[in-house]
Amino acid sequence: MSATVERRLAQFRAARGSAAASPRPAEPLRKATTTAPEAAERQREAATAGPSGSCQALPGEVVAPVSGRLLLLKVLLWAVLLALFVELELGLPYFVLSLLYWMYAGTRGPAERRQEELSAYSVFNPGCVPIRGTLTVEQLERELYYRPAAGR
């Protein structure tokens, strides 16, 4: 290998933080002047500044968002509790109550609706305005009696 390739490889390993884990040193062994305390210091730094200990993601490292981790923890907790209740022979009531809770938690109250957001039920909208794509009685009658649309 040429010297430029080895230099670039050494820079990549240093940037990646895995120079200690590389099977081949960047410099030839006869040029290395690392003492035992320096090597121990480098190993300690590599252990404390691992991929999970750093705030920034390394190139190629996949970091899950916090909300995804929280959801994963919730699902795992639910599964563990389900296993516990199954062992106590209460698995079916736990599952049914979980479904009822998910339905309750999944519905939003009227205060949580955005200002311009329309309801799917036109009676709750200002002026009883239907949303786009709603089948009206007039449209249904037209289609049943094969009459052409008024605007066509």
Side-chain angles (χ1 to χ4, degrees), residues 21-140:
S22 66
R24 209 173 144 191
E27 296 179 349
L29 291 177
R30 63 181 178 270
K31 292 183 181 178
T33 58
T34 306
T35 62
E38 289 177 4
E41 180 70 26
R42 284 186 190 169
Q43 286 179 349
R44 245 182 285 131
E45 287 175 6
T48 58
S52 62
S54 63
C55 293
Q56 295 177 349
L58 296 173
E61 181 183 358
V62 178
V63 178
V66 175
S67 62
R69 292 178 186 164
L70 184 63
L71 179 65
L72 178 67
L73 287 176
K74 287 180 181 180
V75 169
L76 288 175
L77 175 67
W78 180 83
V80 167
L81 288 175
L82 178 65
L84 175 71
F85 279 104
V86 165
E87 194 66 29
L88 297 173
E89 297 182 5
L90 295 170
L92 185 61
Y94 175 75
F95 185 76
V96 170
L97 289 175
S98 297
L99 290 179
L100 291 174
Y101 172 74
W102 290 334
M103 285 191 290
Y104 171 75
T107 58
R108 297 183 301 163
E112 296 175 9
R113 204 168 68 185
R114 291 187 294 263
Q115 192 68 18
E116 299 295 323
E117 186 178 9
L118 295 176
S119 173
Y121 302 102
S122 60
V123 294
F124 297 119
N125 294 333
C128 293
V129 177
I131 59 173
R132 276 181 73 184
T134 302
L135 180 65
T136 61
V137 175
E138 294 82 15
Q139 182 184 0
L140 182 63

